[in-house]
Amino acid sequence: MRCCENVGLKKGPWTPEEDNKLLDYVRNHGHGKWRSVPAKAGLQRCGKSCRLRWINYLKPDIKRGNFSAEEDRTIIQLHALLGNKWSIIAAHLPQRTDNEIKNYWNTNIKKRLITMGLDPISHKTIKPNTFEACGDGHDQSKDTINIYHMAQWESARLEAEARGSMVQVGSGSSRSSGLILSKIPIQPCLSSHSVSTEPNTVYNMYALVLAPNHDFRSSVSTLSFPRFPAVSNTPQITNKESSLSYKSDNSFMGASGQRKKVMESWVSNLQDDDIMVAVEAFRTARSDSIEELFKEPTSV
DNA sequence: AAGGTGTGCAACCGCGCATTC
DNA sequence: AGAATGCGCGGTTGCACACCT
């Protein structure tokens, strides 16, 4: 008979008296052999319940309370890599239990990702036509596309973070932060995604890169465009200006006045496919080439 | 003030794997 | 070799509390 099938045993919340009995027992005898613990400790509980109570609540090195931004980030990174492997994720957060992380994911992070237009399972974007229209009178399509762009951007950023974790774990690198993903190979583009600004010259339009000193705590990501396309009725922009940074509120960083207008005009005309080219260029970059980057860091 | 609803979290449950007999 | 047992994991439930109507 399984221990949890025993009749007459208490279930539900633990009382302080029960906690004390279990604590006393474990202090004196150590843990393990959970099936025999209830009888020896004088508890009307099954062994499984005792084990759970110890692991999730009574163990002395458990950290309780709010999750820090660092922990939050680690959970998202590892979940992107591992999925619902809570115990493995918990192993990277030594003072947190798998149950606590699982609860935090389900009640907090999961909802946040959905709000951002990200699928909490795959960490990839949800297609814009799956968003509900609000029907409050004003044009929702632009907002929807903007959210979708941001979501794709964020999705790629999360993936970069996850890859960074994987590379760091795999290589045993002592690099603590400032992940370098600066030299993502630019993929050959379809003609519709390339632009010619000079005779006989075709440039790849987008390459998604994260700057060498990219701070993952920041809500800002940078998307670099090796060559800005000509936008009709707007001044030309030089190469060195052709880098945009998105903030989480969908505004641009480091741009002002005419340049900002040009950028806004240009970005507002971006098609989903355009963004996808940049994101896919990043996604299809091979992990081993990223490993190489750690050996010989290069700047953007 | 009272009932309804939503949220967070501790605890339970069933399953599967590893070990022991 | 196969059954029994122990343990760990991930999904789910249900309770307590907060907030809303």
Side-chain angles (χ1 to χ4, degrees):
Chain A
M1 186 179 278
R2 293 179 164 198
C3 69
C4 52
E5 290 168 348
N6 286 338
V7 291
L9 296 182
K10 196 181 168 201
K11 288 163 79 171
W14 281 64
T15 64
E17 289 75 24
E18 288 176 311
D19 281 346
N20 286 333
K21 282 183 180 176
L22 183 56
L23 266 174
D24 283 345
Y25 176 83
V26 174
R27 277 182 192 139
N28 293 326
H29 303 92
H31 57 83
K33 303 276 181 190
W34 288 107
R35 180 171 282 217
S36 62
V37 167
K40 291 177 180 172
L43 289 160
Q44 293 296 109
R45 295 271 182 175
C46 75
K48 211 169 181 177
S49 179
C50 294
R51 175 185 162 271
L52 207 67
R53 184 64 179 170
W54 169 257
I55 288 174
N56 287 332
Y57 200 84
L58 297 176
K59 244 166 76 174
D61 58 346
I62 290 176
K63 179 176 163 186
R64 309 199 74 80
N66 294 338
F67 281 74
S68 67
E70 174 77 30
E71 289 173 318
D72 188 277
R73 195 166 58 251
T74 302
I75 293 168
I76 294 173
Q77 288 172 2
L78 293 174
H79 188 274
L81 268 178
L82 304 164
N84 295 354
K85 301 293 178 190
W86 305 118
S87 58
I88 302 175
I89 293 171
H92 288 79
L93 298 163
Q95 293 177 301
R96 299 289 189 180
T97 67
D98 53 2
N99 204 41
E100 198 179 10
I101 293 169
K102 180 173 63 184
N103 282 335
Y104 183 63
W105 176 269
N106 286 327
T107 59
N108 190 308
I109 300 175
K110 194 170 163 181
K111 290 175 188 169
R112 217 163 67 218
L113 292 182
I114 290 169
T115 304
M116 290 162 66
L118 296 173
D119 178 3
I121 298 168
S122 66
H123 291 244
K124 290 184 168 45
T125 47
I126 301 165
K127 292 287 182 189
N129 59 10
T130 64
F131 292 123
E132 294 276 339
C134 295
D136 62 356
H138 90 277
D139 181 13
Q140 292 290 312
S141 60
K142 203 89 175 177
D143 290 347
T144 302
I145 295 298
N146 281 341
I147 290 168
Y148 183 52
H149 286 168
M150 288 166 61
Q152 293 193 61
W153 202 305
E154 186 64 12
S155 169
R157 193 175 73 89
L158 290 172
E159 193 167 327
E161 292 183 38
R163 283 190 187 178
S165 298
M166 185 166 61
V167 170
Q168 283 179 18
V169 169
S171 64
S173 166
S174 60
R175 194 186 300 280
S176 57
S177 61
L179 171 68
I180 297 177
L181 290 174
S182 58
K183 203 181 174 184
I184 302 300
I186 297 170
Q187 302 298 301
C189 290
L190 298 171
S191 60
S192 61
H193 297 116
S194 300
V195 61
S196 176
T197 54
E198 295 170 22
N200 306 319
T201 308
V202 176
Y203 297 92
N204 291 317
M205 279 177 66
Y206 318 126
L208 179 65
V209 299
L210 295 171
N213 56 351
H214 186 78
D215 180 2
F216 285 124
R217 286 166 295 191
S218 166
S219 60
V220 179
S221 292
T222 301
L223 189 60
S224 288
F225 301 86
R227 181 63 65 102
F228 239 72
V231 178
S232 59
N233 302 324
T234 58
Q236 290 295 304
I237 293 177
T238 62
N239 253 359
K240 65 179 181 182
E241 291 174 315
S242 61
S243 174
L244 299 180
S245 293
Y246 260 130
K247 283 172 71 178
S248 54
D249 64 357
N250 201 25
S251 62
F252 299 116
M253 297 285 288
S256 60
Q258 187 67 24
R259 185 178 169 227
K260 186 174 179 177
K261 283 186 180 175
V262 172
M263 287 178 168
E264 286 175 346
S265 164
W266 187 69
V267 172
S268 70
N269 289 322
L270 277 176
Q271 301 298 306
D272 293 339
D273 284 351
D274 297 331
I275 300 290
M276 281 312 294
V277 168
V279 172
E280 285 304 316
F282 168 76
R283 286 206 164 120
T284 53
R286 294 175 55 196
S287 298
D288 54 359
S289 63
I290 293 172
E291 287 269 15
E292 287 298 313
L293 294 174
F294 279 86
K295 293 173 186 168
E296 294 181 38
T298 54
S299 60
V300 179

